Amino acid sequence: TTTTTTTKLTSRTTTKALSLSTFKPAVVLFSTTFLTLYSARQWVIINSTPLPTLWQWGTPTAGNHPRDRRVIGNVIHGAGLYPDGLQGTTYLASPWISSQGHSSLKVSFTRYLGIAADDVASVRACTTAGECHELWTNKNKAVHDQSWTTITYSLTPTSPVTTVRILFGLGPTKAGPSGVTSGPGWSLSSFQLTA
């Protein structure tokens, strides 16, 4: 006599319903693509030296800049190269953006950057409380983007703030013979601040 015992195997799958509160989509505090002159005029140029043509808006016509979209950038018309021998830093500053109720922020932008190793490009965040923080600088390294590049930085102010602005800096640049130029500098095609 043969007795066969059959054991039924079962699998148990536990499904846990996910609460919608688990997903926290980014809150867009400010966004622009520089498509219109109005969007460009929301930004402010802060010069340590009077160079009104260093930051320009439009579709680039200079050879060293991408020509597929409207941008705000350094000398995008004419020679297309930022000047040599800048003594200070010239900033392109975003509008003041309300961040009330948010303790952690992210800034994202699409850039096309060309900067020599001995020149300085930078990104800073400043608050109305007077706190400024450097998010990035090229730190004696050349940067030559070959295509549009999207960059994201996290920003957590050390004190509660309600308003913030982002600054893109160029300079100082190396001293050299008169008329020497260095590179194309910044081209920015989009910018967004989220929480």
Side-chain angles (χ1 to χ4, degrees):
T1 304
T2 302
T3 304
T4 303
T5 303
T6 304
T7 303
K8 186 177 181 182
L9 298 176
T10 61
S11 63
R12 184 176 177 183
T13 303
T14 303
T15 303
K16 184 178 179 181
L18 293 177
S19 168
L20 289 178
S21 62
T22 304
F23 301 99
K24 295 184 179 179
V27 177
V28 178
L29 304 177
F30 181 84
S31 182
T32 186
T33 55
F34 301 112
L35 290 177
T36 65
L37 183 57
Y38 171 77
S39 65
R41 284 181 172 168
Q42 293 179 297
W43 293 65
V44 177
I45 298 171
I46 302 173
N47 286 330
S48 57
T49 54
L51 287 169
T53 60
L54 187 58
W55 289 95
Q56 300 171 342
W57 171 83
T59 302
T61 58
N64 293 326
H65 291 269
R67 303 184 184 194
D68 62 334
R69 62 191 75 182
R70 288 179 180 170
V71 304
I72 195 163
N74 300 132
V75 199
I76 60 174
H77 306 298
L81 301 169
Y82 60 80
D84 194 22
L86 292 177
Q87 297 300 308
T89 304
T90 299
Y91 291 102
L92 176 72
S94 75
W96 288 107
I97 304 165
S98 174
S99 56
Q100 189 167 9
H102 303 287
S103 59
S104 182
L105 307 173
K106 285 189 177 181
V107 56
S108 299
F109 56 91
T110 304
R111 77 175 195 198
Y112 201 109
L113 176 63
I115 189 83
D118 45 6
D119 297 333
V120 179
S122 60
V123 183
R124 303 184 80 197
C126 294
T127 72
T128 49
E131 178 185 356
C132 285
H133 177 67
E134 189 172 83
L135 301 178
W136 175 85
T137 182
N138 60 312
K139 294 180 181 177
N140 299 316
K141 293 181 181 178
V143 178
H144 298 288
D145 290 338
Q146 300 301 309
S147 61
W148 287 106
T149 304
T150 298
I151 307 292
T152 299
Y153 297 115
S154 294
L155 172 63
T156 305
T158 57
S159 58
V161 297
T162 57
T163 313
V164 65
R165 83 180 338 172
I166 306 300
L167 296 88
F168 295 87
L170 178 69
T173 62
K174 66 183 181 299
S178 176
V180 173
T181 53
S182 298
W186 289 102
S187 285
L188 301 169
S189 70
S190 69
F191 173 88
Q192 188 174 76
L193 185 71
T194 59

